[in-house]
Amino acid sequence: AKGRNSRRRTYRTIDLARMMYKDTMTPADVLNKWRGAEDEEENIEEDDEDIFFKKSNQEKSDELAEDRAIPILDYDELESKWSLEDNLEALRRRFATADLLKEKIEDSGSDDE
Amino acid sequence: MSAPDPKFLSFTSQKSLTARLILSTLTGKPIRVSQIRSTSTTPGLAPHEVSFLRLLDSITNGSRATFSHTGTMFHYEPGLIMGSIDGQGAIGEVTDCSLPNTITRGVSWFLTPLCILAPFAKKPVNVRFSGEGVITGATECGDVSVDTVRTAILPLYEKFGISTAKLEIRVLQRSCAGPGGKGGGGVVELKFGSQVRLPKTLHLHRSPGRVRRIRGVAYCTGVSSSNNHRMIHVARGILNPLVADVHIATQYDQAPLVSSGDKNSKSGKKTTGIGFGISLVAESSVDGVLYSADVASPSRGGVTSEDIGKQCAYQLLEVISQGGCVTKVGTETVLVLMAMGSEDVGRLRLGRDVVGTEDAIGLARDLQKFGASSWGLRDVDEDDSGDIIVTVKGIAVGNVARKIA
């Protein structure tokens, strides 16, 4: 949960909406910037000067990139993630087995709109 | 050829090639795709991409594709989407699509984009996929299994006013990926009998609800059917504490036979496509919200069925935790239909990690390039899920063959 909160700040929807159609940035760059990845400075630099170099890098990565419907996942990591009780409890809200009191609150909330 | 013709929309690389081809066909705008694996040791279009172009050719009338010598560039001029019509690529109103044994992608790679085109066709689209390249299971290239297309993607069409009663995917022969991940020997029939004037738009911006039940299919081809039970046992062990209602069907098939090209063997046939896999679909309490996961054994083997079951269950949990009303598997279908559909503003609630993928951004840009309006993004404010609501305005491409509803 802590990770999610700290992530949210750099993860604003407005930023994505702004960058989504900027053709000077590749989708991968947009995502890096949006997620606030550490190499942000590097990215900005690249955007300014090295557009030509960046393009050739892009080609190289494209060579390996095929369309995937299922992303490549690290299953060991997933296993450890979903073995933790906290994570499971957080996910339990998304299942019908969650307690009913919460359900009522949520339902009335969504009906209001 | 040096200066690109302005009437062609230019794209580079093989990325989202099918999406671009169907958008081109739907909007009637010709495209030019260049730099297809231009730096690769196997440059140019891959066998599955050529097969897809052939398939497009057989269900449309008047489309034309011209390739460069190396195959790294091609022009595509779309024709009218006809469907399966006798004498125009179909026999007995069934279009036969024979896939060569060099294909590494699952048949879902063909089915998903084909289904997006099908509602806009003049006549029903019936395609029979056969040949030595049909892989019905999930693949290592990241294709979902045909079961997931059937149970998690086809139901999405109901929301667009496209009756799912006349949609059917029939798996006549199952197959996993063959040796080296290449080819299979499956046979799949798609019947898409619901053609509409204009798909309605979609309003899925409320809470995605909660997962009520989990369904799935475990499949084995050419290996002991006990693998099914082992996969199911492990997957249930993970999922049952969360939902009690878990039902996973089992499918056991014999390995498909394909011609071996070896004259010494008696029958001249060999088995291929041996393996196993599992597809899980979680259904939410809200109608039409489905989460799916897919894992199959790699063709080189060496993975136990317990691991496959476990991976699939964890993948499903991960997909559910991403939230939203449509998962990554279904976003292309839903967003393209919304953009091509009636001139209304549709709203769709998507998980943050579903919108924030290269595929989604690429799709947004492609749609804009083809003249669709750009997406609006805003946060969901009624709860703290962090989901994003994407608003899409349709451009009413509609079905040219059905001017009157």
Side-chain angles (χ1 to χ4, degrees):
Chain A
K2 208 179 166 188
R4 273 191 93 159
N5 280 336
S6 63
R7 195 176 62 178
R8 185 101 9 113
R9 257 164 247 139
T10 52
Y11 221 38
R12 287 186 315 166
T13 309
I14 299 174
D15 294 338
L16 180 65
R18 205 177 292 143
M19 288 186 290
M20 196 161 227
Y21 293 106
K22 261 191 198 167
D23 277 340
T24 48
M25 294 167 80
T26 62
D29 289 341
V30 170
L31 286 177
N32 279 338
K33 212 168 173 183
W34 188 46
R35 293 204 180 113
E38 291 116 48
D39 55 351
E40 198 172 322
E41 281 175 32
E42 210 176 292
N43 270 342
I44 292 167
E45 225 169 73
E46 270 182 306
D47 281 347
D48 290 344
E49 310 160 12
D50 294 336
I51 289 172
F52 288 109
F53 287 122
K54 211 180 64 183
K55 268 206 162 161
S56 65
N57 284 341
Q58 179 61 24
E59 269 165 34
K60 259 176 216 157
S61 62
D62 264 1
E63 188 187 309
L64 301 167
E66 298 284 337
D67 303 325
R68 295 182 70 94
I70 310 169
I72 302 167
L73 298 167
D74 181 348
Y75 288 104
D76 293 334
E77 203 176 282
L78 280 187
E79 184 177 359
S80 51
K81 181 179 172 189
W82 295 118
S83 306
L84 289 175
E85 201 57 33
D86 284 356
N87 288 336
L88 267 185
E89 276 311 309
L91 188 68
R92 200 176 279 277
R93 287 196 312 139
R94 304 276 296 109
F95 284 88
T97 44
D99 61 76
L100 291 170
L101 194 67
K102 227 181 219 167
E103 186 179 353
K104 268 182 190 158
I105 297 167
E106 271 179 30
D107 279 356
S108 60
S110 59
D111 283 342
D112 280 347
E113 220 204 6
Chain B
M1 264 244 174
S2 56
D5 194 321
K7 81 170 183 183
F8 289 93
L9 293 171
S10 294
F11 294 96
T12 54
S13 100
Q14 71 279 14
K15 203 142 179 55
S16 40
L17 189 80
T18 52
R20 286 164 181 172
L21 284 172
I22 56 165
L23 284 174
S24 160
T25 314
L26 285 172
T27 56
K29 290 180 178 153
I31 56 170
R32 170 184 185 273
V33 183
S34 55
Q35 293 174 27
I36 301 163
R37 298 191 183 85
S38 52
T39 51
S40 161
T41 47
T42 50
L45 288 164
H48 55 270
E49 289 155 353
V50 177
S51 295
F52 188 76
L53 276 165
R54 286 225 178 91
L55 176 62
L56 275 185
D57 183 49
S58 59
I59 64 156
T60 58
N61 189 8
S63 56
R64 228 175 51 177
T66 37
F67 306 90
S68 70
H69 284 298
T70 50
T72 55
M73 195 264 284
F74 74 93
H75 289 85
Y76 173 72
E77 286 174 78
L80 294 173
I81 312 161
M82 301 303 275
S84 304
I85 295 177
D86 280 357
Q88 291 179 10
I91 301 158
E93 294 188 343
V94 176
T95 307
D96 197 54
C97 179
S98 182
L99 304 179
N101 64 358
T102 43
I103 284 179
T104 54
R105 308 299 304 244
V107 75
S108 65
W109 186 87
F110 297 87
L111 280 173
T112 320
L114 181 65
C115 286
I116 302 176
L117 275 189
F120 299 93
K122 185 177 180 187
K123 286 281 167 63
V125 174
N126 304 317
V127 179
R128 182 188 163 98
F129 290 92
S130 57
E132 297 177 16
V134 180
I135 307 167
T136 66
T139 64
E140 282 176 274
C141 310
D143 298 308
V144 296
S145 71
V146 75
D147 299 290
T148 304
V149 179
R150 188 165 51 84
T151 53
I153 296 182
L154 283 192
L156 298 173
Y157 284 88
E158 190 75 57
K159 293 269 168 194
F160 289 98
I162 299 163
S163 160
T164 47
K166 287 189 200 155
L167 311 191
E168 191 185 356
I169 290 179
R170 208 182 288 164
V171 188
L172 302 177
Q173 169 69 58
R174 284 171 184 273
S175 170
C176 290
K182 281 182 184 174
V187 180
V188 178
E189 273 183 6
L190 167 78
K191 286 192 195 313
F192 204 110
S194 311
Q195 273 66 37
V196 291
R197 161 80 194 97
L198 200 62
K200 287 191 289 195
T201 195
L202 186 78
H203 297 285
L204 266 180
H205 58 291
R206 296 286 169 79
S207 157
R210 280 192 299 281
V211 174
R212 221 169 32 179
R213 54 171 174 243
I214 291 175
R215 296 286 177 267
V217 178
Y219 49 88
C220 283
T221 47
V223 290
S224 160
S225 63
S226 68
N227 284 299
N228 276 335
H229 301 287
R230 286 160 66 191
M231 284 187 285
I232 291 170
H233 182 77
V234 177
R236 286 188 77 114
I238 295 163
L239 298 170
N240 260 352
L242 293 159
V243 212
D245 191 358
V246 180
H247 282 278
I248 303 171
T250 56
Q251 276 283 339
Y252 168 72
D253 287 67
Q254 298 203 315
L257 287 167
V258 296
S259 66
S260 60
D262 178 14
K263 280 175 191 142
N264 296 329
S265 76
K266 269 182 198 150
S267 60
K269 302 258 183 182
K270 63 170 181 184
T271 56
T272 185
I274 293 164
F276 50 85
I278 184 167
S279 141
L280 293 172
V281 176
E283 298 173 21
S284 148
S285 51
V286 173
D287 186 37
V289 177
L290 300 163
Y291 302 97
S292 68
D294 248 296
V295 182
S297 61
S299 55
R300 62 182 177 279
V303 180
T304 64
S305 37
E306 279 83 3
D307 281 346
I308 299 292
K310 189 171 75 183
Q311 288 179 2
C312 195
Y314 285 131
Q315 192 190 108
L316 185 67
L317 292 185
E318 181 69 17
V319 170
I320 293 172
S321 74
Q322 286 175 355
C325 290
V326 177
T327 60
K328 205 168 162 282
V329 172
T331 41
E332 185 187 324
T333 303
V334 172
L335 288 167
V336 169
L337 283 175
M338 281 167 92
M340 296 296 129
S342 66
E343 236 167 322
D344 285 332
V345 176
R347 286 168 292 182
L348 178 70
R349 178 171 164 154
L350 290 175
R352 205 157 262 264
D353 293 325
V354 178
V355 184
T357 53
E358 281 182 50
D359 295 336
I361 296 176
L363 183 63
R365 291 181 175 184
D366 286 351
L367 280 169
Q368 196 193 35
K369 225 168 169 181
F370 280 105
S373 45
S374 40
W375 299 347
L377 305 177
R378 69 176 167 85
D379 279 315
V380 171
D381 37 22
E382 56 207 42
D383 55 43
D384 63 345
S385 60
D387 289 350
I388 294 176
I389 289 184
V390 181
T391 51
V392 184
K393 188 170 173 292
I395 52 170
V397 162
N399 194 330
V400 275
R402 288 172 189 243
K403 277 297 172 215
I404 308 153

